[in-house]
Amino acid sequence: MVANAAEGMASNLLDRRLDEIVDETLSSGAGTVYLVNPSQDALEAYVDTANEHQYDVTVRLLAKYRTLKDVMEDFIVASTAADLIDRGELELKTVEDPPTNTVIATEDRVVSLVSVSDSVGGIASDDGAFVDDVRAGYEALWGEADDYPLRTPPITRVRETLSTALGEDARDDFAGVLSSLETARGDGEGLDEVTISLLVAAKNEELLYDVSKWGEDIGLASKATFSRTKTKLEEMGLLDTEKVPVDVGRPRLRLKLGDPRLKEANDAELASVAHSILH
Protein backbone atom coordinates (compact mmCIF):
# COMPACT_ATOMS: atom_id res chain seq x y z
CA MET A 1 0.00 0.00 0.00
CA VAL A 2 2.86 2.37 0.81
CA ALA A 3 4.52 1.63 -2.53
CA ASN A 4 1.29 2.29 -4.40
CA ALA A 5 0.83 5.60 -2.62
CA ALA A 6 4.36 6.62 -3.50
CA GLU A 7 3.74 5.74 -7.14
CA GLY A 8 0.73 8.07 -7.13
CA MET A 9 2.58 11.07 -5.74
CA ALA A 10 4.49 13.26 -8.19
CA SER A 11 7.26 15.55 -7.02
CA ASN A 12 5.81 18.43 -5.06
CA LEU A 13 6.77 21.95 -6.11
CA LEU A 14 7.86 23.64 -2.90
CA ASP A 15 9.55 26.96 -2.15
CA ARG A 16 8.83 28.27 -5.64
CA ARG A 17 7.37 31.44 -7.04
CA LEU A 18 3.92 31.22 -8.62
CA ASP A 19 5.29 31.72 -12.10
CA GLU A 20 7.82 28.92 -11.56
CA ILE A 21 5.08 26.49 -10.49
CA VAL A 22 2.94 27.45 -13.49
CA ASP A 23 5.90 27.11 -15.86
CA GLU A 24 7.01 23.72 -14.54
CA THR A 25 3.47 22.35 -14.64
CA LEU A 26 2.55 23.60 -18.12
CA SER A 27 5.96 22.73 -19.59
CA SER A 28 5.34 19.07 -18.81
CA GLY A 29 1.75 19.11 -20.07
CA ALA A 30 0.10 18.51 -23.44
CA GLY A 31 -3.39 18.79 -24.87
CA THR A 32 -5.99 20.42 -22.63
CA VAL A 33 -5.08 21.73 -19.18
CA TYR A 34 -7.60 22.94 -16.59
CA LEU A 35 -6.68 25.93 -14.42
CA VAL A 36 -9.45 26.09 -11.85
CA ASN A 37 -10.28 28.82 -9.34
CA PRO A 38 -7.03 30.78 -9.65
CA SER A 39 -6.43 33.68 -7.31
CA GLN A 40 -5.78 37.04 -8.95
CA ASP A 41 -2.05 36.53 -8.42
CA ALA A 42 -2.16 33.03 -9.93
CA LEU A 43 -4.17 34.26 -12.91
CA GLU A 44 -1.71 37.06 -13.59
CA ALA A 45 1.22 34.68 -13.15
CA TYR A 46 -0.30 32.31 -15.71
CA VAL A 47 -0.86 35.06 -18.30
CA ASP A 48 2.67 36.45 -17.87
CA THR A 49 4.28 33.02 -18.02
CA ALA A 50 2.23 31.75 -20.97
CA ASN A 51 3.06 34.92 -22.88
CA GLU A 52 6.77 34.46 -22.24
CA HIS A 53 6.79 30.76 -23.17
CA GLN A 54 4.84 28.82 -25.78
CA TYR A 55 3.40 25.66 -24.25
CA ASP A 56 1.95 22.73 -26.14
CA VAL A 57 -1.37 23.09 -24.31
CA THR A 58 -4.72 24.81 -24.41
CA VAL A 59 -5.61 26.13 -20.97
CA ARG A 60 -9.26 26.08 -19.93
CA LEU A 61 -9.34 28.70 -17.23
CA LEU A 62 -12.35 28.48 -14.93
CA ALA A 63 -12.77 31.24 -12.35
CA LYS A 64 -15.28 33.38 -10.50
CA TYR A 65 -16.65 36.17 -12.66
CA ARG A 66 -15.49 38.79 -10.15
CA THR A 67 -11.94 37.46 -10.19
CA LEU A 68 -11.73 37.56 -13.97
CA LYS A 69 -13.32 40.99 -14.18
CA ASP A 70 -10.97 42.49 -11.60
CA VAL A 71 -7.86 41.07 -13.26
CA MET A 72 -8.94 41.92 -16.80
CA GLU A 73 -9.47 45.56 -15.90
CA ASP A 74 -5.69 45.80 -16.24
CA PHE A 75 -5.11 46.42 -19.95
CA ILE A 76 -1.67 44.83 -19.84
CA VAL A 77 -3.03 41.52 -18.55
CA ALA A 78 -6.23 41.59 -20.61
CA SER A 79 -4.57 42.37 -23.94
CA THR A 80 -1.98 39.64 -23.32
CA ALA A 81 -4.74 37.16 -22.44
CA ALA A 82 -6.53 38.16 -25.65
CA ASP A 83 -3.36 37.28 -27.55
CA LEU A 84 -3.36 33.82 -25.93
CA ILE A 85 -7.02 33.36 -26.90
CA ASP A 86 -6.25 34.41 -30.48
CA ARG A 87 -3.49 31.79 -30.65
CA GLY A 88 -5.82 29.07 -29.35
CA GLU A 89 -3.86 28.70 -26.12
CA LEU A 90 -6.51 29.96 -23.70
CA GLU A 91 -10.26 29.66 -23.12
CA LEU A 92 -12.11 31.56 -20.38
CA LYS A 93 -15.26 30.58 -18.49
CA THR A 94 -16.84 31.61 -15.21
CA VAL A 95 -18.65 29.72 -12.49
CA GLU A 96 -20.31 31.11 -9.38
CA ASP A 97 -19.19 28.37 -7.00
CA PRO A 98 -15.83 26.92 -8.13
CA PRO A 99 -13.92 24.28 -6.17
CA THR A 100 -12.17 25.69 -3.11
CA ASN A 101 -8.55 25.11 -4.11
CA THR A 102 -6.57 26.55 -6.99
CA VAL A 103 -5.74 23.54 -9.16
CA ILE A 104 -3.84 22.96 -12.41
CA ALA A 105 -4.83 19.63 -13.97
CA THR A 106 -2.80 18.40 -16.94
CA GLU A 107 -3.55 15.12 -18.69
CA ASP A 108 -1.22 13.22 -16.36
CA ARG A 109 -0.82 15.35 -13.23
CA VAL A 110 -2.86 17.40 -10.76
CA VAL A 111 -1.17 20.25 -8.89
CA SER A 112 -2.96 22.03 -6.03
CA LEU A 113 -1.54 25.45 -5.15
CA VAL A 114 -1.15 26.23 -1.47
CA SER A 115 -0.25 29.70 -0.19
CA VAL A 116 0.78 30.55 3.37
CA SER A 117 1.88 34.15 3.94
CA ASP A 118 4.54 34.77 1.28
CA SER A 119 5.24 31.09 0.69
CA VAL A 120 3.73 29.19 -2.24
CA GLY A 121 3.81 25.47 -2.93
CA GLY A 122 2.33 23.00 -5.36
CA ILE A 123 1.11 19.67 -3.98
CA ALA A 124 1.18 17.23 -6.89
CA SER A 125 -0.24 13.82 -7.75
CA ASP A 126 0.17 11.73 -10.90
CA ASP A 127 -2.02 8.82 -9.78
CA GLY A 128 -3.81 7.88 -12.99
CA ALA A 129 -7.24 7.13 -11.51
CA PHE A 130 -7.16 10.29 -9.37
CA VAL A 131 -6.10 12.50 -12.30
CA ASP A 132 -8.84 11.01 -14.49
CA ASP A 133 -11.49 11.62 -11.80
CA VAL A 134 -10.39 15.21 -11.26
CA ARG A 135 -10.34 15.98 -14.96
CA ALA A 136 -13.73 14.36 -15.50
CA GLY A 137 -15.17 16.57 -12.77
CA TYR A 138 -13.64 19.70 -14.28
CA GLU A 139 -14.78 18.76 -17.77
CA ALA A 140 -18.36 18.45 -16.52
CA LEU A 141 -18.07 21.76 -14.67
CA TRP A 142 -16.63 23.38 -17.79
CA GLY A 143 -19.57 22.23 -19.85
CA GLU A 144 -21.98 23.98 -17.48
CA ALA A 145 -19.94 27.18 -17.07
CA ASP A 146 -20.55 30.55 -18.77
CA ASP A 147 -18.24 32.03 -21.40
CA TYR A 148 -16.36 35.13 -20.27
CA PRO A 149 -16.67 37.91 -22.88
CA LEU A 150 -13.18 39.41 -22.98
CA ARG A 151 -13.58 42.54 -25.11
CA THR A 152 -10.02 43.84 -24.90
CA PRO A 153 -8.18 43.58 -28.24
CA PRO A 154 -5.02 41.42 -28.40
CA ILE A 155 -1.85 43.40 -27.79
CA THR A 156 -0.33 42.10 -31.04
CA ARG A 157 -3.24 43.55 -33.02
CA VAL A 158 -2.99 46.81 -31.07
CA ARG A 159 0.66 47.23 -32.03
CA GLU A 160 0.22 46.21 -35.65
CA THR A 161 -2.76 48.47 -36.27
CA LEU A 162 -1.21 51.36 -34.37
CA SER A 163 1.80 51.18 -36.65
CA THR A 164 -0.49 51.35 -39.68
CA ALA A 165 -2.70 54.12 -38.29
CA LEU A 166 -0.14 56.40 -36.64
CA GLY A 167 3.27 55.11 -37.69
CA GLU A 168 6.11 53.06 -36.25
CA ASP A 169 7.25 55.81 -33.87
CA ALA A 170 3.84 55.84 -32.19
CA ARG A 171 3.84 52.05 -31.99
CA ASP A 172 7.28 52.04 -30.38
CA ASP A 173 6.32 54.81 -27.96
CA PHE A 174 3.17 52.91 -26.97
CA ALA A 175 5.20 49.75 -26.31
CA GLY A 176 7.76 51.75 -24.35
CA VAL A 177 5.15 53.32 -22.10
CA LEU A 178 3.47 49.96 -21.45
CA SER A 179 6.78 48.30 -20.60
CA SER A 180 7.39 50.98 -17.95
CA LEU A 181 4.11 50.18 -16.17
CA GLU A 182 3.29 47.39 -13.75
CA THR A 183 -0.42 47.86 -14.35
CA ALA A 184 -2.60 49.87 -16.74
CA ARG A 185 -5.90 50.31 -14.95
CA GLY A 186 -6.52 54.03 -14.73
CA ASP A 187 -7.87 53.68 -11.18
CA GLY A 188 -5.00 55.36 -9.38
CA GLU A 189 -2.63 52.42 -9.87
CA GLY A 190 -1.62 53.31 -13.41
CA LEU A 191 -2.72 54.97 -16.63
CA ASP A 192 -5.47 53.37 -18.68
CA GLU A 193 -5.10 52.41 -22.33
CA VAL A 194 -6.99 55.47 -23.64
CA THR A 195 -4.82 57.90 -21.69
CA ILE A 196 -1.68 56.12 -22.87
CA SER A 197 -2.87 56.24 -26.48
CA LEU A 198 -3.61 59.96 -26.28
CA LEU A 199 -0.26 60.77 -24.67
CA VAL A 200 1.56 58.77 -27.34
CA ALA A 201 -0.46 60.48 -30.08
CA ALA A 202 0.33 63.88 -28.56
CA LYS A 203 4.02 63.02 -28.31
CA ASN A 204 3.93 62.37 -32.06
CA GLU A 205 1.58 65.32 -32.73
CA GLU A 206 -1.11 63.16 -34.34
CA LEU A 207 -4.74 64.10 -34.92
CA LEU A 208 -7.36 63.29 -32.32
CA TYR A 209 -9.55 61.99 -35.14
CA ASP A 210 -6.92 59.47 -36.24
CA VAL A 211 -6.15 58.06 -32.80
CA SER A 212 -9.80 57.87 -31.74
CA LYS A 213 -10.83 56.23 -35.03
CA TRP A 214 -8.05 53.68 -34.62
CA GLY A 215 -9.08 53.00 -31.02
CA GLU A 216 -12.72 52.53 -31.90
CA ASP A 217 -11.96 50.36 -34.95
CA ILE A 218 -9.96 47.84 -32.92
CA GLY A 219 -12.33 47.85 -29.93
CA LEU A 220 -10.07 49.71 -27.53
CA ALA A 221 -12.68 52.36 -26.67
CA SER A 222 -15.31 54.51 -28.35
CA LYS A 223 -14.57 57.87 -29.99
CA ALA A 224 -16.67 59.44 -27.25
CA THR A 225 -14.40 57.93 -24.57
CA PHE A 226 -11.33 59.26 -26.37
CA SER A 227 -12.94 62.70 -26.60
CA ARG A 228 -13.90 62.78 -22.89
CA THR A 229 -10.44 61.64 -21.83
CA LYS A 230 -8.81 64.22 -24.11
CA THR A 231 -10.90 66.96 -22.51
CA LYS A 232 -9.92 65.81 -19.01
CA LEU A 233 -6.21 65.68 -19.89
CA GLU A 234 -6.42 69.08 -21.58
CA GLU A 235 -8.12 70.64 -18.56
CA MET A 236 -5.34 69.26 -16.33
CA GLY A 237 -2.65 70.67 -18.60
CA LEU A 238 -1.25 67.39 -19.90
CA LEU A 239 -2.42 67.97 -23.47
CA ASP A 240 -2.73 70.92 -25.80
CA THR A 241 -4.59 70.98 -29.11
CA GLU A 242 -4.42 73.08 -32.23
CA LYS A 243 -6.98 73.27 -35.00
CA VAL A 244 -6.02 71.85 -38.38
CA PRO A 245 -8.19 73.00 -41.31
CA VAL A 246 -9.58 70.34 -43.66
CA ASP A 247 -11.15 70.63 -47.11
CA VAL A 248 -14.62 69.64 -45.91
CA GLY A 249 -16.18 69.93 -42.45
CA ARG A 250 -14.95 71.28 -39.16
CA PRO A 251 -11.23 71.64 -38.44
CA ARG A 252 -9.62 68.66 -36.74
CA LEU A 253 -7.53 68.79 -33.60
CA ARG A 254 -3.84 68.06 -33.51
CA LEU A 255 -2.73 66.70 -30.15
CA LYS A 256 0.38 68.04 -28.43
CA LEU A 257 1.93 67.48 -25.04
CA GLY A 258 1.06 70.36 -22.74
CA ASP A 259 3.13 70.12 -19.58
CA PRO A 260 6.87 70.87 -20.07
CA ARG A 261 7.73 67.88 -17.88
CA LEU A 262 6.03 65.57 -20.38
CA LYS A 263 7.85 67.15 -23.30
CA GLU A 264 11.18 66.40 -21.64
CA ALA A 265 10.28 62.82 -20.67
CA ASN A 266 11.34 59.73 -22.61
CA ASP A 267 9.07 56.69 -23.09
CA ALA A 268 10.03 55.11 -19.78
CA GLU A 269 9.39 58.38 -17.93
CA LEU A 270 6.24 59.53 -19.76
CA ALA A 271 3.83 57.37 -17.77
CA SER A 272 5.31 58.16 -14.35
CA VAL A 273 5.38 61.89 -15.07
CA ALA A 274 1.79 61.85 -16.34
CA HIS A 275 0.68 59.77 -13.33
CA SER A 276 2.31 62.23 -10.92
CA ILE A 277 0.53 65.17 -12.58
CA LEU A 278 -2.83 63.38 -12.56
CA HIS A 279 -2.51 62.36 -8.91
Side-chain angles (χ1 to χ4, degrees), residues 62-253:
L62 190 63
K64 293 181 180 178
Y65 177 84
R66 186 77 248 175
T67 300
L68 272 176
K69 187 176 186 301
D70 286 347
V71 172
M72 296 305 169
E73 285 178 354
D74 182 347
F75 173 75
I76 296 173
V77 178
S79 61
T80 304
D83 249 359
L84 298 174
I85 292 171
D86 249 18
R87 300 202 301 257
E89 298 174 21
L90 173 63
E91 300 172 7
L92 298 177
K93 284 194 175 185
T94 64
V95 62
E96 287 302 313
D97 189 23
T100 302
N101 297 327
T102 298
V103 175
I104 307 174
T106 70
E107 292 187 348
D108 55 12
R109 182 160 70 153
V110 172
V111 178
S112 180
L113 301 183
V114 179
S115 299
V116 179
S117 299
D118 295 330
S119 178
V120 181
I123 309 303
S125 173
D126 57 9
D127 179 84
F130 176 70
V131 172
D132 289 345
D133 285 347
V134 169
R135 286 179 59 85
Y138 290 159
E139 185 174 359
L141 190 60
W142 181 264
E144 299 170 357
D146 297 321
D147 291 331
Y148 181 80
L150 181 62
R151 297 184 176 89
T152 306
I155 189 60
T156 298
R157 190 187 310 161
V158 171
R159 290 175 180 146
E160 290 173 351
T161 56
L162 185 57
S163 179
T164 301
L166 301 184
E168 294 184 1
D169 287 345
R171 177 202 62 194
D172 293 344
D173 289 340
F174 188 91
V177 172
L178 275 189
S179 67
S180 73
L181 294 171
E182 292 185 4
T183 183
R185 292 180 178 269
D187 59 357
E189 297 181 25
L191 306 181
D192 65 25
E193 57 270 30
V194 176
T195 299
I196 294 168
S197 300
L198 288 168
L199 289 172
V200 166
K203 184 174 185 291
N204 290 275
E205 299 193 355
E206 299 289 348
L207 298 179
L208 173 63
Y209 174 86
D210 291 338
V211 66
S212 60
K213 183 179 186 305
W214 160 77
E216 187 168 75
D217 286 348
I218 66 166
L220 197 70
S222 67
K223 288 182 181 179
T225 299
F226 272 89
S227 181
R228 286 194 300 270
T229 305
K230 183 274 300 181
T231 299
K232 172 189 172 184
L233 297 176
E234 195 172 15
E235 290 173 348
M236 298 188 71
L238 279 77
L239 296 183
D240 281 334
T241 57
E242 68 175 20
K243 292 182 179 180
V244 178
V246 293
D247 293 337
V248 179
R250 293 184 302 172
R252 290 180 177 169
L253 297 176

Side-chain angles (χ1 to χ4, degrees), residues 203 238 257-274 277:
K203 184 174 185 291
L238 279 77
L257 294 174
D259 193 289
R261 290 168 289 179
L262 291 174
K263 297 176 183 178
E264 297 168 0
N266 58 32
D267 290 347
E269 298 166 341
L270 191 64
S272 61
V273 171
I277 296 171

